[in-house]
């Protein structure tokens, strides 16, 4: 395995960063009139404009060198071939097989399950699948968390049109999540999907038990549960033990955060229909093909990854903000938080040594234009430089001249422009003088209204917000994460870091449920435990 710091490219990039790390991007545009097109890539209907990054041609050459020296292309081919690239769990990470077209001889079972999902979805959508009182299904509740929630939630929120049962997503063990959702629904017309790869996730099982009781309390007999409950899992024994008959399966080689393309997407298929699900897979497959075949210099996911590496590892920008300018994509940052931080939030290499470089930055963000009125002040003038991904889906309404759509698009472009260009202080001084300011008042106002600019960002433009483009966008981010994981030399497909807290929560559940002597805890936790027990009079 390759230590990135030992590559010639990493060393060259370190020198380039010291030399040119703070060079102004606007000056790069002055030097190169073709920059806007030379730093733009197209794939599967997505445009990536990375011209606002502080990357020049020399830096670009060395970043491409890093791909070669770190063996990214060989690793990519191994992932596509189904090799066991998830080394710590000795498994493949073969989510790309889930969206390979029927003709590809990847895996027969994948297609079998896909057909079973489509048949079931057709039956429910056509009103042939009936609830215990003989009614058609109007609402689908997906109970699941993490990868068993975030992807399908993002897709359904982005694309649901009202043509099909209404999708609802419950993840949180906080009773308000499930209770508030069920309060709006009728058990006679509700289908619950319990989605859990392991079928051992405490939050999901607790919510599933309550939902089952809600169904019974709503008039269903024990024998009716099968009409309202299905499971999506890779653990048939646990599903049966829970008492759910119908299960849509998937495999251990599908990581939770990469699973929306599997049976985990059943809620998508039910709410949006099999054609939309196919289009989603088709968009992702188009991006897979591009990632697999395009040369490094034209490869969109690779440059999404490399821009991040330059910012994080060489410019020390450790906070990365994602802002989709689309209300329906409001949960994109939540989805990417799991995808990027659960995948690459590691400090141990694939061969068990401490990592030699910084790995994933903090990923955060929310929807534009709302974000502009919350934290963009800090992005423009704060002392922490944050790099951004703007995501801009276009629509026919933009063309039709809907005033709000034009505002939406204009604001997105304007923010990226303002972050890069900043403000010319000379021109500002003239403006303020013309307003009658002078002396201390002028210099204070001048200081407060400075915009240094040179804040890097990517712009990802989607031709439209539909299944194809959303599939392509998500696949591009999955591959970004993969490329970064290879360069940082971490295993992007395990998540051991979530285990310890789960075990401790198990102990604390016991401690909270009994009045006896609690198990051993650190002094802070013990004091907090006693504070809760006091409140609960236990
Ligand atoms: O706790 C983290 C995690 O294991 C994620 O990786 C996963 O997506 C989520 O929990 C849900 O797991 P499951 O699908 O097994 O319920």
């Amino acid at each position: 395995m390759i230590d990135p710091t030992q590559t010639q490219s990493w060393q060259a990039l370190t020198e380039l960063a010291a030399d040119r790390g703070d060079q102004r991007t606007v000056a790069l545009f002055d030097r190169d009139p073709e920059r806007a097109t030379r730093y733009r890539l197209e794939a599967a209907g997505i445009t990536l404009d990375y011209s606002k990054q502080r990357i020049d041609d020399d830096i670009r050459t060395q970043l491409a060198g890093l791909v070669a020296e770190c063996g990214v292309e060989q690793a990519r081919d191994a992932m596509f071939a189904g090799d066991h690239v998830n080394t710590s769990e000795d498994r493949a990470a073969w989510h790309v097989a889930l969206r390979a077209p029927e003709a590809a001889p990847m895996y027969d079972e994948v297609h079998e399950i896909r057909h079973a999902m489509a048949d079931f979805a057709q039956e429910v959508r056509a009103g042939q699948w009936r609830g215990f009182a003989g009614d058609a299904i109007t609402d689908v509740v997906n109970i699941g968390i993490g990868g068993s929630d975030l992807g399908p939630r993002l897709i359904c929120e982005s694309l649901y049109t009202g043509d099909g049962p209404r999708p609802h997503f419950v993840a949180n063990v906080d009773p308000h999540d499930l209770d508030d959702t069920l309060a709006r629904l009728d058990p006679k017309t509700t289908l619950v999907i319990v989605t859990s790869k392991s079928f051992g996730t405490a939050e999901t099982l607790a919510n599933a038990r309550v939902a089952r009781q809600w169904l019974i309390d709503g008039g269903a007999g024990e024998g009716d549960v099968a009409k309202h409950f299905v499971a999506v899992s890779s653990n048939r024994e646990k599903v049966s033990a829970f008492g759910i008959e119908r299960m849509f399966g998937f495999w251990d080689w599908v990581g939770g955060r990469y699973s929306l393309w599997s049976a985990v997407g059943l809620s998508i298929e039910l709410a949006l229909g099999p054609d939309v699900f196919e289009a989603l897979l088709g968009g992702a497959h188009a991006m897979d093909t591009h990632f697999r075949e395009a040369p490094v210099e034209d490869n969109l996911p690779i440059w999404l990854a490399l821009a991040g590496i330059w910012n994080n590892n060489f410019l020390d920008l450790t906070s990365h903000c994602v802002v989709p300018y689309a209300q329906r994509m409001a949960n994109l940052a939540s989805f990417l938080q799991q995808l990027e931080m659960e995948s690459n939030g590691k400090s141990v290499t694939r061969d068990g040594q401490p990592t030699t470089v910084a790995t994933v930055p903090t990923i955060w963000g929310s929807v534009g234009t709302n974000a502009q009125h919350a934290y963009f002040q800090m992005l423009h003038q704060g002392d922490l430089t944050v790099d951004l991904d703007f995501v801009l889906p276009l629509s026919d309404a933009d063309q039709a001249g809907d005033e709000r759509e034009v505002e939406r698009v204009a604001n997105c472009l304007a923010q990226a422009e303002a972050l890069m260009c900043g403000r010319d202080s000379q021109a500002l001084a003239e403006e303020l003088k013309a307003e009658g300011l002078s002396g201390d008042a002028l210099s204070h106002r001048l200081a407060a209204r400075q915009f240094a600019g040179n804040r890097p960002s990517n712009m990802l433009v989607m031709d439209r917000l539909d299944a194809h483009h959303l599939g392509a966008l998500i696949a591009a981010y999955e591959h970004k994460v993969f490329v970064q994981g290879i360069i940082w030399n971490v295993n992007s497909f395990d998540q051991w870091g979530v285990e310890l807290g789960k075990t401790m929560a198990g102990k604390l559940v016991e401690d909270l449920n009994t009045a006896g002597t609690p198990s051993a805890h650190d002094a802070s936790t013990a004091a907090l435990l006693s504070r809760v027990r006091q409140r609960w009079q236990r």
Side-chain angles (χ1 to χ4, degrees):
M1 311 227 168
I2 292 144
D3 173 353
T5 62
Q6 297 310 306
T7 62
Q8 178 274 325
S9 318
W10 194 278
Q11 285 157 20
L13 285 163
T14 307
E15 281 165 28
L16 283 164
D19 199 30
R20 308 181 192 171
D22 54 2
Q23 68 183 330
R24 295 198 62 86
T25 317
V26 284
L28 298 176
F29 279 96
D30 291 342
R31 289 214 298 271
D32 176 8
E34 302 301 317
R35 181 175 170 87
T37 42
R38 293 205 313 112
Y39 283 70
R40 188 176 72 201
L41 297 169
E42 306 276 343
I46 311 279
T47 301
L48 167 65
D49 171 10
Y50 67 104
S51 65
K52 293 189 179 73
Q53 297 290 347
R54 288 188 226 159
I55 295 175
D56 62 18
D57 287 359
D58 294 335
I59 296 167
R60 197 159 69 160
T61 304
Q62 296 303 334
L63 285 168
L66 204 51
V67 170
E69 285 191 84
C70 292
V72 169
E73 289 163 289
Q74 293 90 319
R76 173 197 62 194
D77 293 346
M79 176 179 73
F80 273 87
D83 290 359
H84 285 202
V85 293
N86 177 354
T87 41
S88 74
E89 294 178 306
D90 191 19
R91 307 172 168 159
W94 214 16
H95 41 284
V96 292
L98 298 168
R99 53 234 188 179
E102 297 263 351
M106 289 292 242
Y107 205 73
D108 287 347
E109 260 185 79
V110 168
H111 298 300
E112 253 172 60
I113 300 272
R114 229 198 255 175
H115 290 309
M117 287 165 69
D119 291 347
F120 179 62
Q122 299 279 30
E123 228 181 301
V124 172
R125 289 171 62 80
Q128 290 154 357
W129 183 278
R130 301 263 160 183
F132 69 88
D135 301 292
I137 298 298
T138 58
D139 293 87
V140 171
V141 180
N142 183 79
I143 297 180
I145 198 163
S148 295
D149 166 67
L150 291 163
R153 186 192 287 263
L154 172 66
I155 305 295
C156 288
E157 286 176 357
S158 297
L159 302 178
Y160 183 65
T161 59
D163 170 29
R166 283 177 292 271
H168 308 268
F169 290 88
V170 172
N172 203 333
V173 77
D174 179 340
H176 288 295
D177 197 5
L178 181 66
D179 296 356
D180 293 357
T181 303
L182 295 184
R184 301 192 299 269
L185 303 180
D186 180 348
K188 295 198 257 336
T189 56
T190 300
L191 178 76
V192 175
I193 311 174
V194 184
T195 305
S196 174
K197 180 178 174 185
S198 57
F199 228 75
T201 301
E203 294 98 314
T204 299
L205 297 184
N207 277 327
R209 281 189 287 271
V210 174
R212 193 178 194 285
Q213 191 56 46
W214 170 79
L215 183 69
I216 304 288
D217 294 346
E222 286 293 335
D224 295 321
V225 172
K227 298 181 182 133
H228 293 270
F229 261 71
V230 296
V232 172
S233 185
S234 63
N235 193 328
R236 188 169 288 283
E237 288 75 40
K238 284 197 177 168
V239 169
S240 305
F242 190 88
I244 298 181
E245 287 169 25
R246 181 91 190 249
M247 182 187 107
F248 296 85
F250 63 110
W251 309 270
D252 69 355
W253 47 261
V254 183
R257 52 197 173 274
Y258 300 88
S259 66
L260 73 93
W261 327 98
S262 71
V264 169
L266 187 62
S267 53
I268 304 173
E269 188 123 23
L270 285 159
L272 309 177
D275 292 348
V276 175
F277 193 66
E278 285 297 321
L280 186 76
L281 299 180
H285 179 65
M287 187 57 77
D288 293 343
T289 307
H290 165 84
F291 177 51
R292 212 174 174 180
E293 294 176 359
V296 170
E297 59 272 22
D298 298 331
N299 201 303
L300 189 151
I302 289 184
W303 283 97
L304 204 50
L306 292 176
I309 295 226
W310 174 247
N311 289 330
N312 184 28
N313 295 107
F314 298 98
L315 302 187
D316 289 330
L317 308 184
T318 56
S319 176
H320 177 67
C321 182
V322 183
V323 187
Y325 273 68
Q327 182 60 33
R328 294 183 133 216
M329 295 176 77
N331 269 313
L332 179 65
S334 304
F335 172 79
L336 292 178
Q337 281 180 325
Q338 189 200 15
L339 181 65
E340 301 212 20
M341 295 203 276
E342 199 172 81
S343 295
N344 284 340
K346 316 275 164 74
S347 49
V348 166
T349 64
R350 280 174 284 162
D351 40 6
Q353 300 302 314
T355 46
T356 54
V357 296
T359 58
V360 77
T362 308
I363 309 285
W364 61 288
S366 61
V367 70
T369 60
N370 306 18
Q372 291 172 205
H373 301 274
Y375 51 80
F376 267 57
Q377 160 65 38
M378 177 268 203
L379 298 182
H380 285 288
Q381 289 188 315
D383 62 352
L384 182 78
T385 301
V386 175
D387 65 290
L388 292 97
D389 281 359
F390 288 97
V391 178
L392 177 61
L394 301 178
S395 77
D396 296 334
D398 306 345
Q399 288 159 10
D402 180 324
E403 172 192 350
R404 297 161 306 167
E405 284 289 82
V406 176
E407 281 284 343
R408 175 178 72 85
V409 174
N411 270 277
C412 181
L413 299 180
Q415 291 301 324
E417 185 176 22
L419 284 162
M420 177 177 75
C421 297
R423 191 164 202 179
D424 178 345
S425 25
Q426 199 60 46
L428 176 62
E430 295 308 321
E431 213 179 286
L432 294 176
K433 278 185 207 154
E435 283 172 22
L437 288 176
S438 61
D440 280 356
L442 174 64
S443 50
H444 285 164
R445 189 68 62 83
L446 199 50
R449 291 181 61 180
Q450 287 287 351
F451 284 74
N454 220 23
R455 265 72 168 160
S457 67
N458 287 319
M459 178 72 66
L460 286 138
V461 182
M462 300 160 71
D463 269 352
R464 60 182 63 238
L465 181 49
D466 64 8
H468 174 91
H469 292 92
L470 203 48
L473 182 81
I474 294 172
Y477 273 108
E478 287 179 349
H479 298 321
K480 165 199 171 177
V481 167
F482 177 75
V483 171
Q484 292 187 333
I486 295 299
I487 292 175
W488 291 329
N489 193 15
V490 296
N491 176 5
S492 304
F493 299 111
D494 62 12
Q495 57 285 318
W496 297 106
V498 298
E499 296 305 325
L500 180 61
K502 284 186 195 169
T503 314
M504 290 196 168
K507 272 207 236 165
L508 280 156
V509 165
E510 280 171 31
D511 291 336
L512 286 167
N513 277 333
T514 57
T517 313
S519 53
H521 296 284
D522 68 273
S524 167
T525 308
L528 290 167
L529 178 60
S530 105
R531 170 72 178 82
V532 179
R533 281 178 154 197
Q534 206 178 9
R535 170 72 174 76
W536 289 354
Q537 298 183 341
R538 284 193 179 154

